[in-house]
């Protein structure tokens, strides 16, 4: 069984979801690549957006391609790279 959600302590999980690792703002055409040992754990659409993602663990967190995100949508996962095809998003580090 994959570690998935169970690999973090309660405190680590709470810190990650609160954005304690900081964030990266992306606008149309930008790519965010996480530094070694860091992943993006949440993506928030500030405007209607379309994204592509790459994951360190594509079995647990499959890569996304051409996924539309309506304004205000938040998705959670663990991604090493996020490419914004259109729109504006915030990627939170965890």
């Amino acid at each position: 069984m994959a570690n998935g959600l169970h690999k973090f302590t309660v405190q680590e999980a709470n810190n990650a979801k609160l954005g304690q690792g900081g964030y990266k703002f992306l606008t149309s055409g930008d790519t965010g690549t996480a530094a070694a040992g860091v992943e993006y754990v949440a993506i928030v659409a500030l405007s209607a957006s379309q994204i592509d993602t790459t994951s360190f663990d594509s079995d647990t967190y499959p890569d996304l391609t051409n996924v539309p995100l309506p304004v205000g949508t938040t998705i959670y996962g663990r991604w090493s790279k996020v490419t914004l095809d259109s729109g504006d998003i915030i990627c939170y580090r965890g």
Side-chain angles (χ1 to χ4, degrees):
M1 183 168 116
N3 289 340
L5 297 173
H6 304 288
K7 80 178 196 178
F8 301 104
T9 67
V10 171
Q11 186 64 45
E12 289 170 331
N14 283 331
N15 285 343
K17 77 179 180 183
L18 294 172
Q20 296 295 322
Y23 69 90
K24 181 165 183 86
F25 174 78
L26 299 178
T27 191
S28 188
D30 288 347
T31 296
T33 303
V38 177
E39 296 170 308
Y40 295 116
V41 296
I43 299 170
V44 178
L46 301 177
S47 64
S49 304
Q50 187 165 326
I51 64 167
D52 302 316
T53 66
T54 304
S55 176
F56 286 116
D57 179 3
S58 59
D59 289 335
T60 305
Y61 305 101
D63 296 343
L64 304 175
T65 304
N66 297 321
V67 174
L69 296 178
V71 64
T73 300
T74 301
I75 60 172
Y76 299 92
R78 300 198 68 77
W79 304 284
S80 58
K81 181 177 172 183
V82 177
T83 300
L84 183 59
D85 300 325
S86 63
D88 299 295
I89 61 174
I90 294 180
C91 300
Y92 288 94
R93 298 179 188 106

